[in-house]
Amino acid sequence: MKQNTEIQADLASTGYIADKSLVMAIKMMNILKRPLLLEGDAGVGKTHLAKSIAQANKSELLRLQCYEGLDSASAIYEWNYQKQLLSAKLLEDSDLDTKQKQDHIFSEEFLLQRPLLKAIQSTEQSVLLIDEIDRADEEFEAFLLEVLSDYEISIPELGTVKAKSIPIVILTSNGTRELSDALRRRCLFHYLDYPDETTEIRILQSHIKEIDINLASQIVRFVQKLRLEDIEKKPGIAETIDWAGVLLGLEVSDLKQDSEQLYQTLCCLLKTKVDRSQYPVEIVEKFVGKVA
């Protein structure tokens, strides 16, 4: 079992800077083999954590993107009906009896595995990301509970499929609806907030090695101040990295260098018409004056 410092170092090698509480949650997830439910605003790094764990462990990442109307066929398996029809046609003149023909066309050869089934059928431990579970219907959430309780899936034509390995399961939620108590009981929970200034500077430096510490600090302070404003969409960590990359590409070394140009680059951070209209050049200049 990896020590906390090893987990933290492994994640850092992938560009993910995790604090002690998150590292402990990951370690507990590994000990208990329980899913980890991550809640937090969009853009704080929930999905990226699953990718980083998979990369650090050299594991396959299987992603189930949730949405309203998601059903078991998209999440677990479905039959390849076209291939089954073709096979049934070819078997019409064979010597097989009806049961043998049915057994053939409902064999694993014709099964299309979706993320949940793939995760438990993998012989090597995979990372299963169930992204934005709060967007799925409550009925699907209840169904998911059954799968995560025993890590087995019942397929009427084939019987019960038991897990060959227990995947690392990470569920994310942006909090668009309240999740059931049953799901929360089944999972470990961690609330992922925006990183503090020091951590976000480290994140920025891990993604853009050549960035100067003074510019990185100015950028992070600017973005963190912007998040405190009354805006419709707060910029996430990825937007901070994008903006820093753009500024470096434009050879900006200080945010006070060119207000007009800086204003033009805010399309990296402000993603709605209302938010954009709140920050004309004059306001941006005052904003920069407080952080640079």
Side-chain angles (χ1 to χ4, degrees):
M1 183 69 67
K2 289 182 180 177
Q3 298 299 313
N4 290 16
T5 52
E6 291 178 277
I7 295 172
Q8 203 164 28
D10 285 349
L11 291 174
S13 71
T14 70
Y16 197 98
I17 308 300
D19 62 22
K20 290 181 179 178
S21 62
L22 178 56
V23 170
M24 180 56 79
I26 294 169
K27 185 166 185 177
M28 291 168 62
M29 173 179 67
N30 293 333
I31 292 172
L32 297 174
K33 300 189 186 309
R34 290 281 190 93
L36 175 62
L37 171 61
L38 288 174
E39 270 190 342
D41 289 348
V44 295
K46 303 184 296 296
T47 300
H48 191 59
L49 176 63
K51 294 177 180 176
S52 292
I53 291 175
Q55 186 180 344
N57 293 352
K58 296 183 173 55
S59 302
E60 182 181 10
L61 175 68
L62 298 166
R63 180 175 183 170
L64 176 62
Q65 179 62 52
C66 297
Y67 53 86
E68 188 176 354
L70 176 65
D71 58 14
S72 59
S74 302
I76 305 176
Y77 75 91
E78 62 183 322
W79 292 104
N80 188 335
Y81 294 117
Q82 289 185 329
K83 191 174 177 182
Q84 284 178 315
L85 285 171
L86 179 60
S87 183
K89 186 74 176 173
L90 294 172
L91 289 175
E92 282 181 355
D93 299 327
S94 75
D95 295 330
L96 298 177
D97 60 31
T98 302
K99 185 177 183 311
Q100 288 173 319
K101 291 177 181 177
Q102 287 179 342
D103 288 345
H104 175 69
I105 62 174
F106 285 104
S107 64
E108 290 190 27
E109 179 184 346
F110 300 90
L111 196 64
L112 297 174
Q113 295 187 358
R114 301 308 184 201
L116 291 181
L117 183 57
K118 275 185 182 176
I120 70 166
Q121 280 289 277
S122 175
T123 54
E124 301 289 334
Q125 187 182 49
S126 58
V127 175
L128 174 62
L129 169 63
I130 302 173
D131 216 4
E132 300 184 331
I133 181 62
D134 51 324
R135 292 186 182 277
D137 300 324
E138 293 180 8
E139 291 77 12
F140 180 79
E141 186 183 313
F143 171 77
L144 185 63
L145 265 175
E146 292 181 21
V147 176
L148 297 181
S149 295
D150 300 319
Y151 291 105
E152 61 181 36
I153 292 170
S154 178
I155 301 177
E157 297 85 354
L158 298 177
T160 300
V161 178
K162 295 183 180 297
K164 294 177 180 175
S165 64
I166 303 297
I168 294 171
V169 182
I170 294 187
L171 300 95
T172 74
S173 169
N174 293 335
T176 58
R177 73 167 173 83
E178 187 59 39
L179 301 176
S180 70
D181 290 344
L183 183 66
R184 290 183 183 277
R185 278 196 298 273
R186 180 62 201 156
C187 301
L188 299 172
F189 173 79
H190 183 83
Y191 186 83
L192 201 57
D193 208 345
Y194 290 108
D196 59 28
E197 182 179 321
T198 303
T199 303
E200 192 158 10
I201 291 172
R202 288 182 61 201
I203 293 170
L204 198 50
Q205 289 180 308
S206 71
H207 285 268
I208 305 177
K209 309 289 185 191
E210 65 274 24
I211 193 166
D212 173 74
I213 181 64
N214 182 57
L215 179 62
S217 300
Q218 288 182 350
I219 288 171
V220 168
R221 284 199 293 272
F222 187 99
V223 174
Q224 296 216 343
K225 184 168 174 53
L226 197 58
R227 287 181 189 138
L228 297 176
E229 298 283 302
D230 183 20
I231 56 177
E232 290 184 338
K233 185 185 178 306
K234 298 180 189 299
I237 298 169
E239 276 114 339
T240 306
I241 296 169
D242 284 347
W243 193 43
V246 166
L247 294 178
L248 274 188
L250 294 171
E251 300 182 349
V252 174
S253 58
D254 191 297
L255 293 192
K256 292 180 286 189
Q257 189 173 309
D258 186 336
S259 298
E260 177 61 33
Q261 180 177 251
L262 193 72
Y263 165 75
Q264 297 296 341
T265 65
L266 289 187
C267 56
C268 287
L269 303 177
L270 300 170
K271 302 291 182 69
T272 73
K273 183 180 179 182
V274 172
D275 289 346
R276 198 76 174 92
S277 65
Q278 289 190 69
Y279 295 91
V281 179
E282 300 76 29
I283 299 295
V284 172
E285 284 178 343
K286 291 180 181 177
F287 220 80
V288 170
K290 295 177 181 177
V291 301

